[in-house]
């Protein structure tokens, strides 16, 4: 509650000294679930960064085969057991963090790079171009993202690069919607009107007044999207259209492990836990940031 | 209201045209080569060229789009390369299964999500609230396909309480079709054993598909209820001595339902996407599984057919949500459509 009051008073202007950042930090830390999310995301980033140096069997993500070790249950030598070619599941899950981080980042960044400029054009410039952008956005939003991605991958052929390309191509419309509505609202603000009356050009208003004030909702959406994009890419991996073996992608691992249920349950159980924790972490951080930066757009 | 309805329907028509443009762009403009795919891996250039001419793929894009539109209008969605069946026939056969799965999952999500969200808001910061919040954050983070596999592992393979997948067991025979919806037909024909068997097969897929939607419906309803419960008119109603139950259900819930309704519409769309994963896990013979099987063998027309059908479905659902909005909130009717 206190976070909400604080942000209503202080979040919109884009000035921000060190003391303001400290205040935000304290307000964020007051929520246990936001902090839990931050811890999970931090752990995920660390694992993604140092993965290759902390795993016991780095070759197991590059197609090594140890048939004498195959389908061993979890134990001291293999914490999460081994798969059908004797690869260490723990190693592959840890190295999968880097793959998922790349997938999430690429999809989110590409989507924002396409969506944000289009949203600003639609919201601030308007006219026929703006109208056309919004109608195309509506069409994209009228088909569930996963189906559209499936169609695009179907056209391009399976593989991790095509899966990321497909998801990026269907992910941007959300940003157009968000930025367009925010821009429309900002254009009515007194300070934008004052800038316009003072003779500021369109570009100046957009870069100095509109864009900085769109940053909070974009950051909130992006942090949520990191989780959802990872989830969607894992879904494509699971149906066999994303990463191909031996690439250590969590969704594909679950898909292969599925053939070894129920006896060799660990094969698909652990990658699923990894996806769950990662997505949970990004969602909790997104929630925390939204309560702090953009409390009016909850839900 | 009539004008509002008409404007929404006209908007739907426009969107549908846009969707056709989108599926056309994916199938004809993107770098994939449908003629080469159709000819198969061993075909030589001459065979590919023949097919290209046969499908009209050598004509200008505008002509191709007009032919594509004409085909769709006549119900010609192409044919599956694997089975040589007309895609429309396949969709007609598989869609009822998906429709039943998604509808049951949505009903369950609303039936559980709305009351749980309400309870969570009324008993804020008690153990009820804590547990429902854990459900709501977990539901959207769990990969549905993995949840389905784990439920299968535990309830079907380990305990043997529920069947592993499919729509009916080997010993049950489907009832003679009336509506082509298995549940409705079994009910209408009075075939109770078949109905029981079908229900047992539906439990795990429905629960799996329902869980993420349940979580987000619960979450929105809780947030809206919390907001509504602090409004002046709620305090006034309480001061007038209305019972707590009446205030919560009659006055607060009705207002909280408007944003919840739009989440329900959104989640219906998500379910139509998520069903491709859930149908794959449970071997549920719907259009999701059909699309996946087509996609892994680069069988192009079925995927486009499914995309169109699911898009149309989602658009119709959004239309219903818009109309319900207009009915619940008169201010919406007067605003011009987006």
């Amino acid at each position: 509650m206190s976070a909400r009051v604080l942000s209503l008073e202080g979040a919109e202007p884009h000035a921000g000294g060190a003391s303001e950042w400290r205040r935000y930090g304290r307000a964020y830390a007051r929520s246990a679930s936001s902090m839990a999310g931050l811890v999970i995301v931090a752990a995920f980033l660390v694992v993604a960064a140092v993965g290759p140096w902390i795993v016991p069997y780095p070759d197991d993500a590059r197609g090594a085969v140890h048939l004498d070790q195959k389908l061993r249950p979890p134990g001291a030598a293999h914490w999460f057991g081994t798969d059908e070619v004797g690869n260490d599941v723990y190693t592959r899950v840890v190295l999968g963090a880097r793959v998922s981080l790349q997938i999430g980042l690429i999809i989110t960044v590409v989507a924002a790079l396409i969506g944000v400029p289009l949203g600003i054009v639609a919201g601030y410039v308007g006219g026929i171009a703006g109208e056309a952008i919004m109608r195309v956005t509506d069409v994209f939003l009228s088909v569930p993202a996963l189906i559209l991605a499936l169609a695009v991958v179907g056209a391009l052929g399976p593989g991790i690069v095509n899966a990321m390309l497909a998801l990026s191509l269907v992910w941007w419309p959300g940003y157009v919607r968000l930025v367009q509505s925010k821009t429309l609202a900002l254009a009515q603000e007194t300070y934008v009107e004052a800038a316009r009356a003072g003779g500021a050009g369109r570009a100046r208003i957009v870069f100095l007044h509109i864009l900085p004030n769109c940053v909070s909702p974009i950051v909130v959406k992006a942090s949520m999207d990191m989780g959802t994009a990872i989830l969607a890419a894992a879904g494509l991996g699971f149906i066999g259209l994303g990463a191909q073996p031996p690439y250590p992608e969590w969704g594909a691992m679950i898909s292969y492990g599925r053939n070894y249920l129920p006896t060799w349950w660990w094969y698909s159980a652990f990658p699923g836990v990894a996806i769950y924790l990662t997505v949970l972490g990004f969602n909790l951080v997104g929630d925390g940031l939204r309560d702090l930066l953009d409390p009016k757009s909850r839900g | 209201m009539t004008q509002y309805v008409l404007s929404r329907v006209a908007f739907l028509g426009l969107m549908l045209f846009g969707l056709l443009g989108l599926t056309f762009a994916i199938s004809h403009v993107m770098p994939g080569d449908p003629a080469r795919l159709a000819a198969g891996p061993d075909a030589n250039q001459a065979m590919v060229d023949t097919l290209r001419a046969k499908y009209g793929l050598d004509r200008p894009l505008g002509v191709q789009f007009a032919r594509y539109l004409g085909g769709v209008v006549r119900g010609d969605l192409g044919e599956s390369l694997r089975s040589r069946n007309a895609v429309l026939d396949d969709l007609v056969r598989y869609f009822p299964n998906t429709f039943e799965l998604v509808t049951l999952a949505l009903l369950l999500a609303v039936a559980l999500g709305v009351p749980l969200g309400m309870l969570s808001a009324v008993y804020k910061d008690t153990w009820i609230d804590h547990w429902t919040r854990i459900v709501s954050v977990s539901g959207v983070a769990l990969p549905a396909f993995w949840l389905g596999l784990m439920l299968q592992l535990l309830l079907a393979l380990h305990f043997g309480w529920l069947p592993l997948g499919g729509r009916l067991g080997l010993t049950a025979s489907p009832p003679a079709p009336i509506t082509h919806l298995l549940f409705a037909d079994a009910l209408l024909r009075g075939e109770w054993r078949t109905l029981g068997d079908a229900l047992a097969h539906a439990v795990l897929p429905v629960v799996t598909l329902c869980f993420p939607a349940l979580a987000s419906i619960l979450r929105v309803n809780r947030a809206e209820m919390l907001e509504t419960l602090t409004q002046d008119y709620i305090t006034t109603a309480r001061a007038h001595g209305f019972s707590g139950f009446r205030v919560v259900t009659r006055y607060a819930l009705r207002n909280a339902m408007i944003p919840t309704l739009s989440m329900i519409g959104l989640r219906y769309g998500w379910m139509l996407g998520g069903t491709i994963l859930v149908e794959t896990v449970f071997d549920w013979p719907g259009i999701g599984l059909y699309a996946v099987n087509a996609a892994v063998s680069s069988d192009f027309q079925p995927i486009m057919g499914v995309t169109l059908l699911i898009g149309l479905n989602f658009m119709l659902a959004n239309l219903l949500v818009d109309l319900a909005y207009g009915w619940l909130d008169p201010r919406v009717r007067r605003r011009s459509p987006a």
Side-chain angles (χ1 to χ4, degrees):
Chain A
M1 214 47 213
S2 52
R4 188 183 261 206
V5 174
L6 173 108
S7 56
L8 277 179
E9 288 164 358
E12 291 293 349
H14 34 93
S19 70
E20 189 141 8
W21 283 107
R22 265 202 297 278
R23 254 181 32 204
Y24 277 137
R26 271 200 297 273
Y28 185 91
R30 232 170 274 147
S31 156
S33 61
S34 308
M35 284 310 283
L38 192 64
V39 170
I40 297 174
V41 170
F44 169 74
L45 293 177
V46 169
V47 167
V50 303
W53 293 281
I54 59 168
V55 292
Y57 311 96
D59 286 339
D60 285 7
R62 293 192 285 262
V65 175
H66 328 275
L67 287 176
D68 54 321
Q69 301 278 321
K70 75 173 187 184
L71 298 168
R72 295 274 172 91
H78 302 284
W79 292 355
F80 293 174
T82 63
D83 64 14
E84 83 278 25
V85 291
N87 285 337
D88 182 45
V89 175
Y90 171 73
T91 299
R92 292 176 57 79
V93 168
V94 166
L95 295 177
R98 183 176 282 198
V99 175
S100 285
L101 178 67
Q102 282 169 353
I103 292 173
L105 269 181
I106 290 177
I107 296 172
T108 311
V109 169
V110 172
L113 284 179
I114 302 175
V116 171
L118 288 178
I120 286 188
V121 171
Y124 193 69
V125 182
I128 296 176
E131 191 67 17
I133 290 172
M134 290 319 291
R135 292 296 83 85
V136 172
T137 304
D138 284 336
V139 170
F140 270 86
L141 289 174
S142 74
V143 191
L146 199 57
I147 295 286
L148 213 48
L150 182 82
V152 176
V153 178
L156 295 175
I160 182 83
V161 175
N162 286 349
M164 282 196 284
L165 192 68
L167 284 167
S168 311
L169 277 180
V170 302
W171 218 268
W172 57 268
Y175 287 87
V176 179
R177 252 301 152 80
L178 177 79
V179 173
Q180 185 248 7
S181 65
K182 184 84 187 163
T183 308
L184 277 180
L186 286 171
Q188 309 296 322
E189 293 283 339
T190 324
Y191 59 85
V192 174
E193 223 165 296
R196 208 180 299 133
R202 266 187 183 169
R204 190 180 161 83
I205 291 178
V206 163
F207 283 103
L208 240 64
H209 300 288
I210 307 251
L211 207 51
N213 282 307
C214 287
V215 168
S216 315
I218 292 172
V219 167
V220 172
K221 181 169 167 54
S223 87
M224 297 280 194
D225 278 355
M226 279 295 291
T228 0
I230 289 173
L231 206 54
L236 286 180
F238 176 73
I239 52 184
L241 295 176
Q244 306 294 315
Y247 207 60
E249 195 273 325
W250 292 335
M253 289 169 72
I254 295 174
S255 170
Y256 284 91
R258 183 189 173 195
N259 302 323
Y260 296 89
L261 289 175
T263 316
W264 301 285
W265 54 268
W266 54 85
Y267 188 176
S268 53
F270 288 108
V273 175
I275 300 178
Y276 167 62
L277 285 178
T278 308
V279 179
L280 183 72
F282 280 108
N283 283 352
L284 291 176
V285 168
D287 273 351
L289 288 176
R290 172 161 56 199
D291 287 348
L292 204 62
L293 302 172
D294 197 25
K296 280 171 280 183
S297 71
R298 316 185 80 211
Chain B
M1 188 73 188
T2 319
Q3 205 185 355
Y4 175 72
V5 174
L6 284 178
S7 74
R8 297 317 300 173
V9 172
F11 185 65
L12 178 89
L14 198 68
M15 286 291 96
L16 201 57
F17 184 76
L19 177 61
L20 284 167
L22 186 60
T23 47
F24 174 80
I26 294 174
S27 54
H28 289 73
V29 183
M30 290 200 30
D33 186 348
R36 185 160 291 282
L37 283 174
D42 305 323
N44 58 32
Q45 190 58 41
M47 288 155 83
V48 174
D49 287 340
T50 316
L51 274 179
R52 189 165 286 143
K54 183 185 163 201
Y55 293 136
L57 295 169
D58 51 352
R59 312 280 283 277
L61 274 181
V63 177
Q64 287 190 47
F65 186 53
R67 283 174 58 135
Y68 175 74
L69 282 184
V72 171
V73 169
R74 289 193 308 273
D76 175 13
L77 296 173
E79 63 177 29
S80 158
L81 291 175
R82 280 175 314 151
S83 65
R84 298 285 163 194
N85 286 346
V87 170
L88 187 68
D89 295 344
D90 282 345
L91 291 180
V92 168
R93 185 162 69 224
Y94 295 124
F95 181 68
N97 293 328
T98 299
F99 181 76
E100 281 181 284
L101 173 61
V102 173
T103 308
L104 284 177
L106 187 72
L107 289 177
L108 188 66
V110 174
L112 292 175
V114 171
L116 281 177
M118 195 174 79
L119 275 180
S120 187
V122 172
Y123 296 101
K124 186 174 187 276
D125 292 330
T126 64
W127 63 269
I128 301 180
D129 188 29
H130 294 318
W131 275 105
T132 46
R133 288 181 74 185
I134 290 175
V135 169
S136 76
V137 292
S138 295
V140 282
L142 274 174
F145 53 94
W146 182 76
L147 175 68
L149 282 180
M150 292 299 117
L151 288 175
Q152 250 180 356
L153 176 64
L154 196 70
L155 299 177
L157 293 168
H158 188 72
F159 289 115
W161 292 342
L162 289 166
L164 194 59
R167 282 226 68 179
L168 280 177
L170 291 173
T171 53
S173 57
I178 303 173
T179 61
H180 292 273
L181 301 170
L182 183 60
F183 287 117
D185 288 351
L187 205 64
L188 289 172
R189 301 258 182 216
E191 294 183 18
W192 308 117
R193 277 200 45 208
T194 309
L195 183 66
D197 192 49
L199 278 175
H201 278 82
V203 172
L204 290 182
V206 167
V207 168
T208 306
L209 190 59
C210 146
F211 197 55
L214 159 72
S216 43
I217 291 171
L218 188 166
R219 191 185 153 92
V220 173
N221 200 243
R222 174 182 181 275
E224 290 302 321
M225 283 295 287
L226 282 177
E227 182 112 19
T228 315
L229 284 171
T230 59
Q231 301 288 321
D232 287 343
Y233 59 83
I234 296 294
T235 318
T236 313
R238 284 194 206 279
H240 276 287
F242 288 127
S243 74
F245 182 75
R246 189 185 156 102
V247 169
V248 169
T249 51
R250 278 288 296 278
Y251 300 102
L253 182 63
R254 274 183 83 146
N255 284 294
M257 272 313 280
I258 295 180
T260 308
L261 198 65
S262 74
M263 177 50 88
I264 293 173
L266 263 181
R267 274 291 149 178
Y268 180 73
W270 181 89
M271 279 183 172
L272 287 170
T275 191
I276 64 176
L277 299 171
V278 175
E279 287 179 13
T280 306
V281 172
F282 292 101
D283 218 9
W284 186 273
I287 54 171
L289 186 60
Y290 176 62
V292 168
N293 285 336
V296 291
S297 49
S298 295
D299 189 359
F300 208 67
Q301 303 289 358
I303 312 174
M304 289 305 131
V306 171
T307 309
L308 271 181
L309 184 57
I310 285 184
L312 176 65
N313 234 282
F314 190 24
M315 286 177 184
L316 286 174
N318 280 331
L319 177 72
L320 287 181
V321 169
D322 278 349
L323 295 183
Y325 246 75
W327 176 65
L328 277 172
D329 187 348
R331 283 169 302 178
V332 175
R333 269 176 254 159
R334 285 193 286 270
R335 229 180 288 149
S336 66

